[in-house]
Amino acid sequence: MVFFLSLLSIYNLYVSNKLEEFSLYDEYAELREKTIRITDLLLRTPGVPEGWNESNYLQLGLAKGEYVISSQKLEQLLNLSEEEVAENLGLTGYHLFLNVSSALNYSTWVEYILGQYPSSSQVAIPVRRLALLDVNGKNIPVKVLLVVWR
Amino acid sequence: MKGVAISFDVLFSCVFLLMFLSIYASSFYVPPRFEGEYYHSYKVASDALMILKKTRIYDVQEDPTIQFYMNNGDITPDDMNRTLVDLIGTFWSENRTEDARNVTRSILEQLMPNSISYGVYMGGDVIHERNLSFPSRLAKSSLMVSGYMVGKPTRGFMARAWLQRVRGNETFLLPISPAGSGFGAFYFQGGDFTLEKTFEIPSDAENISSQLDLSVHEERGYIHIYMNDILQASIYSTSTYYGTVNINDVRPGMNVLKIVLERPLFYHSHTHPGMVLKVTYSHEKNLSYAEEREVFERQELPHVIGSPAVWMIYPFDIPKGSQVNSAKLHFEGAGVNRWMEIWVNDHLVYSSSSPPSDPVLNLDIKDYLHLSGNSSTGETNILAIYLDMESTRDRYVTGARGTAEILNSSYVELNYTKPEPVRYYGRITATRLIPFDQLDGQDAALIKKMYFDWTDFPILSSYLHIVQKYSWKVAAAAWHDPEGEPNWNGTDWDKYQIFKSPTGRSVPSSMYIPVERFSTDTRNYVKARDFDGSSSNLVLPDSFVSVNFLVPAQVGYGDVFPNRTAAEQDAIQRLNETVRGYVEGGEIETQTTEIVNVPTMWGLTEMEVRVW
């Protein structure tokens, strides 16, 4: 009987661990898809209103044209707090890390950063995208990294 | 007590079983990571494609590879606003795949994450691949692209040209198939043999020249050739005769060719395979044509007079695949005494040992044609008519006297529906005669083979014209590379056979070759042999294939020129080069358009980025 009860409690522990793992998987999957969609939103739409600024934005978007990031909009975004950006993008409760940096080693070096890169976290979703950044009429290929974490 | 102990065992066993099953089942759970990773890979692929599409040369002009192409002149200052897709596509379209790879690699190797494998493809060709691993999951993004030729002006004038009215050369062929007096018609039993055939030349025809390839058997007697009742030549023949006769009096409109074989001293008189009147002339050509799908066709038979008997064969064809609605023979004869037979292919469709003297018949001959179901096989049909002689006996029947005639009020009437009616616009028709002596040299032979290469224009129709001095039955095959050469199995060519004589002496002067037997890409062959007869039944090297085809009478937009005049001159020159040899003269019209940044110089093709 003692052996049976011990086995039952080990089984209980195993099951609860598994359930937690499954739940994390689900969250991870859902968040990954959401993060990809958010990068689409940022890189391919201009936001609402189209000429938004830090005081009147309804929906954030960075595109000057599809896949071409406006430097001005990117700077406006960096003026917002991480929480404000997360809330507007539907990521309340999560931290954000956004990094936009030159992709080609010979082009003008630019780097824009919002938020903190997660040092250790339970859930961290990194999504890497490519786009062009408009810098004084020149479209510089840039890498875009968005990490959503908690 | 014993029963309770067993119940606990069962209970424990059941719980253990359930625990085991639930652990086992959980091992099958696959976290939804894979789908998300595929979605991410797809996004990387589409990002790379968009970067190539949106990045201008100006944006990456510091790139060492781009600078290399700027320094060597492949990229000019005018190209700065063109995109990387334009540059890569230009190199690809010029077969400079290595240059396309250099540009693609130089840009994407820095952009793409280090851990992934990827490839860029254009029109199915590999432009560049980074192959780190075997693709366990593959994400693809593609785009239809076109662009300018880098290094060429994007502003300027392009012109196209077409013939508005055109006078061109035409070749008209009038094949005369074998016909004659009854065999065995010696001097004391026979008379002259006469064949008359009416044909039409367009009323605006000019520069008419013509030649008759004369192929007859006249054993000791004269052959007289008339065109429109004007004597063209009188030739004394001792046996078979094959030669050419210049014909001078063909005129625009209706014409009558008459051949008279004088009463022979020995044997009999008849024509042989290979008699063809060839008329060339220039006239105003149609630049467009739309054939009806349903064809009604009435083919008038030649007027043939024999003494004491008469016979003739008449070939007619229906394009392969046509649905045959009806086929009728209207026959009118005169001077018949004792015997009459009419055959269609190897079917005896009418015979009488006491026919009327001037018979008039209307026969439904559809069931006797070369058909597969209701559809034409494309093989030439043979109508054979014998008056006062038996088809199976080599002489006239007893009691035959005077002359017997097949009147030219006789006709074959066909009604069929074509699978693909001929329709063209901005083209003219032309005919080429291709001689037979290419493979076997100049020697006549029982089996002759020829070839020709056809690399230019679409074929409308083609015919085989066999020339023989003596003949019995002929079988012919046509094929093209890489189809294999057919073999003779004793009765037929084992494949690609286009004609086989149904009876003795049924060798027409033209045999239809279905269009699909010839290729415009590879070498074409024709092979013909006489069979079941004497070894002296040779096919002459004068045999030929006639091909009717379409020549474009227009050229499309060409290069970009700095001014309108230069563009027009280029278009006219290209048009002249295309129609040279087929056109005597005509009115050329041109249309010039100014182009400003319309990307149409290469493409449309698919560009694809794969990530795995």
Side-chain angles (χ1 to χ4, degrees), chain B residues 67-79:
Chain B
Q67 288 201 333
F68 169 79
Y69 290 112
M70 287 167 70
N71 291 338
N72 74 4
D74 279 326
I75 299 172
T76 67
D78 290 342
D79 297 326

Side-chain angles (χ1 to χ4, degrees), chain B residues 403-511:
Chain B
T403 58
E405 291 183 55
I406 298 168
L407 301 177
N408 60 359
S409 47
S410 307
Y411 54 82
V412 172
E413 192 174 72
L414 302 171
N415 171 216
Y416 53 90
T417 306
K418 282 187 159 187
E420 286 294 331
V422 174
R423 283 173 189 166
Y424 60 85
Y425 176 75
R427 290 170 183 264
I428 54 173
T429 56
T431 303
R432 189 176 295 166
L433 310 184
I434 306 165
F436 224 67
D437 57 2
Q438 296 174 58
L439 277 180
D440 295 333
Q442 291 294 331
D443 294 337
L446 204 63
I447 305 171
K448 287 287 284 181
K449 180 177 163 187
M450 62 88 78
Y451 75 85
F452 66 95
D453 298 320
W454 191 268
T455 53
D456 21 35
F457 306 124
I459 295 174
L460 280 178
S461 64
S462 58
Y463 288 86
L464 168 62
H465 307 272
I466 293 289
V467 182
Q468 288 184 291
K469 283 187 175 176
Y470 297 98
S471 75
W472 183 243
K473 293 180 184 176
V474 159
W479 73 99
H480 58 84
D481 286 336
E483 295 176 338
E485 182 168 348
N487 295 307
W488 182 250
N489 63 17
T491 56
D492 292 89
W493 295 112
D494 62 358
K495 53 191 173 183
Y496 314 131
Q497 183 163 286
I498 53 122
F499 179 79
K500 181 185 176 187
S501 295
T503 58
R505 293 199 172 89
S506 293
V507 181
S509 293
S510 70
M511 302 164 192

Side-chain angles (χ1 to χ4, degrees), chain B residues 189-221:
Chain B
Q189 291 115 346
D192 293 351
F193 168 79
T194 306
L195 184 146
E196 282 181 320
K197 180 64 184 168
T198 304
F199 63 96
E200 186 174 6
I201 296 296
S203 57
D204 65 339
E206 293 175 354
N207 304 319
I208 301 172
S209 67
S210 66
Q211 166 191 305
L212 177 67
D213 293 350
L214 185 63
S215 183
V216 300
H217 191 163
E218 167 73 5
E219 198 135 333
R220 303 279 169 102

Side-chain angles (χ1 to χ4, degrees), chain B residues 143-182:
Chain B
L143 192 67
M144 294 307 289
V145 293
S146 69
Y148 282 114
M149 297 298 276
V150 173
K152 298 265 178 74
T154 58
R155 297 179 69 92
F157 295 87
M158 298 164 75
R160 66 188 185 101
W162 65 94
L163 288 162
Q164 182 68 17
R165 288 162 58 86
V166 55
R167 286 193 75 84
N169 295 325
E170 198 79 65
T171 301
F172 170 78
L173 297 180
L174 181 69
I176 306 290
S177 288
S181 289

Side-chain angles (χ1 to χ4, degrees), chain B residues 316-594:
Chain B
F316 59 97
D317 55 81
I318 300 172
K320 186 174 181 180
S322 299
Q323 292 296 307
V324 179
N325 306 318
S326 68
K328 292 172 183 165
L329 169 67
H330 173 79
F331 173 75
E332 293 186 24
V336 185
N337 295 305
R338 289 293 169 90
W339 194 263
M340 182 172 165
E341 287 178 37
I342 296 178
W343 292 72
V344 174
N345 297 321
D346 53 356
H347 303 275
L348 179 62
V349 298
Y350 179 85
S351 74
S352 173
S353 57
S354 55
S357 173
D358 299 322
V360 177
L361 296 172
N362 286 295
L363 301 171
D364 184 344
I365 57 172
K366 182 185 164 188
D367 290 345
Y368 313 119
L369 304 184
H370 290 303
L371 298 178
S372 171
N374 212 25
S375 172
S376 168
T377 64
E379 189 174 339
T380 298
N381 298 286
I382 299 290
L383 166 69
I385 299 170
Y386 305 87
L387 303 182
D388 282 342
M389 66 172 287
E390 293 176 57
S391 61
T392 52
R393 296 185 63 199
D394 205 14
R395 57 176 292 120
Y396 59 93
V397 294
T398 304
R401 61 187 182 280
T403 58
E405 291 183 55
I406 298 168
L407 301 177
N408 60 359
S409 47
S410 307
Y411 54 82
V412 172
E413 192 174 72
L414 302 171
N415 171 216
Y416 53 90
T417 306
K418 282 187 159 187
E420 286 294 331
V422 174
R423 283 173 189 166
Y424 60 85
Y425 176 75
R427 290 170 183 264
I428 54 173
T429 56
T431 303
R432 189 176 295 166
L433 310 184
I434 306 165
F436 224 67
D437 57 2
Q438 296 174 58
L439 277 180
D440 295 333
Q442 291 294 331
D443 294 337
L446 204 63
I447 305 171
K448 287 287 284 181
K449 180 177 163 187
M450 62 88 78
Y451 75 85
F452 66 95
D453 298 320
W454 191 268
T455 53
D456 21 35
F457 306 124
I459 295 174
L460 280 178
S461 64
S462 58
Y463 288 86
L464 168 62
H465 307 272
I466 293 289
V467 182
Q468 288 184 291
K469 283 187 175 176
Y470 297 98
S471 75
W472 183 243
K473 293 180 184 176
V474 159
W479 73 99
H480 58 84
D481 286 336
E483 295 176 338
E485 182 168 348
N487 295 307
W488 182 250
N489 63 17
T491 56
D492 292 89
W493 295 112
D494 62 358
K495 53 191 173 183
Y496 314 131
Q497 183 163 286
I498 53 122
F499 179 79
K500 181 185 176 187
S501 295
T503 58
R505 293 199 172 89
S506 293
V507 181
S509 293
S510 70
M511 302 164 192
Y512 172 72
I513 305 173
V515 173
E516 80 276 3
R517 286 289 83 235
F518 290 147
S519 162
T520 52
D521 301 323
T522 56
R523 179 157 289 184
N524 300 295
Y525 301 88
V526 173
K527 195 175 187 180
R529 66 165 297 152
D530 201 287
F531 66 102
D532 281 359
S534 157
S535 59
S536 60
N537 294 339
L538 307 178
V539 178
L540 302 192
D542 310 82
S543 304
F544 64 98
V545 170
S546 63
V547 180
N548 304 306
F549 57 100
L550 290 172
V551 179
Q554 56 185 0
V555 289
Y557 287 108
D559 282 341
V560 181
F561 290 85
N563 59 65
R564 191 177 294 271
T565 308
E568 284 176 357
Q569 282 173 349
D570 168 72
I572 291 168
Q573 185 182 341
R574 284 185 291 120
L575 180 61
N576 283 333
E577 283 169 7
T578 304
V579 300
R580 183 175 298 147
Y582 305 109
V583 166
E584 272 193 343
E587 294 171 16
I588 295 178
E589 287 209 0
T590 59
Q591 184 179 43
T592 311
T593 186
E594 184 176 8

Side-chain angles (χ1 to χ4, degrees), chain B residues 64-298:
Chain B
T65 307
I66 298 295
Q67 288 201 333
F68 169 79
Y69 290 112
M70 287 167 70
N71 291 338
N72 74 4
D74 279 326
I75 299 172
T76 67
D78 290 342
D79 297 326
M80 284 296 128
N81 276 332
R82 294 188 188 153
T83 65
L84 291 176
V85 163
D86 232 357
L87 181 59
I88 295 164
T90 297
F91 285 144
W92 169 78
S93 68
E94 292 175 344
N95 288 325
R96 295 170 62 183
T97 313
E98 194 58 42
D99 296 316
R101 178 176 298 119
N102 289 342
V103 173
T104 311
R105 181 172 51 209
S106 184
I107 302 297
L108 287 189
E109 277 298 286
Q110 295 188 60
L111 288 174
M112 300 297 263
N114 293 330
S115 56
I116 64 158
S117 299
Y118 72 93
V120 178
Y121 310 86
M122 205 151 203
D125 297 335
V126 180
I127 300 296
H128 170 59
E129 274 182 348
R130 182 211 279 167
N131 229 333
L132 299 177
S133 63
F134 185 78
S136 57
R137 63 172 186 277
L138 181 70
K140 295 194 281 189
S141 180
S142 63
L143 192 67
M144 294 307 289
V145 293
S146 69
Y148 282 114
M149 297 298 276
V150 173
K152 298 265 178 74
T154 58
R155 297 179 69 92
F157 295 87
M158 298 164 75
R160 66 188 185 101
W162 65 94
L163 288 162
Q164 182 68 17
R165 288 162 58 86
V166 55
R167 286 193 75 84
N169 295 325
E170 198 79 65
T171 301
F172 170 78
L173 297 180
L174 181 69
I176 306 290
S177 288
S181 289
F183 295 106
F186 283 76
Y187 183 80
F188 295 109
Q189 291 115 346
D192 293 351
F193 168 79
T194 306
L195 184 146
E196 282 181 320
K197 180 64 184 168
T198 304
F199 63 96
E200 186 174 6
I201 296 296
S203 57
D204 65 339
E206 293 175 354
N207 304 319
I208 301 172
S209 67
S210 66
Q211 166 191 305
L212 177 67
D213 293 350
L214 185 63
S215 183
V216 300
H217 191 163
E218 167 73 5
E219 198 135 333
R220 303 279 169 102
Y222 274 94
I223 307 161
H224 305 292
I225 313 296
Y226 298 87
M227 179 57 68
N228 298 318
D229 287 330
I230 302 169
L231 182 65
Q232 305 294 308
S234 290
I235 300 162
Y236 187 75
S237 167
T238 56
S239 180
T240 59
Y241 183 90
Y242 179 75
T244 58
V245 177
N246 286 327
I247 305 293
N248 296 317
D249 294 288
V250 178
R251 59 192 178 215
M254 300 306 292
N255 294 271
V256 180
L257 169 70
K258 184 162 85 172
I259 299 163
V260 178
L261 306 181
E262 200 180 54
R263 181 171 55 183
L265 191 59
F266 300 108
Y267 202 40
H268 53 265
S269 303
H270 55 270
T271 63
H272 274 161
M275 182 130 76
V276 180
L277 177 69
K278 300 168 178 170
V279 184
T280 59
Y281 54 87
S282 70
H283 77 131
E284 187 165 315
K285 293 207 167 202
N286 287 330
L287 285 158
S288 62
Y289 178 67
E291 190 179 59
E292 293 295 326
R293 185 174 286 271
E294 187 174 1
V295 178
F296 287 91
E297 197 171 275
R298 181 177 283 193

Side-chain angles (χ1 to χ4, degrees), chain A residues 11 21 34 48 50 63 66 74 83 113 117-119 138:
Chain A
Y11 173 73
E21 190 186 330
K34 191 170 186 177
V48 181
E50 198 169 327
E66 198 180 16
L74 187 55
E83 291 75 22
I113 297 175
Y117 190 81
S119 51
K138 196 168 186 174

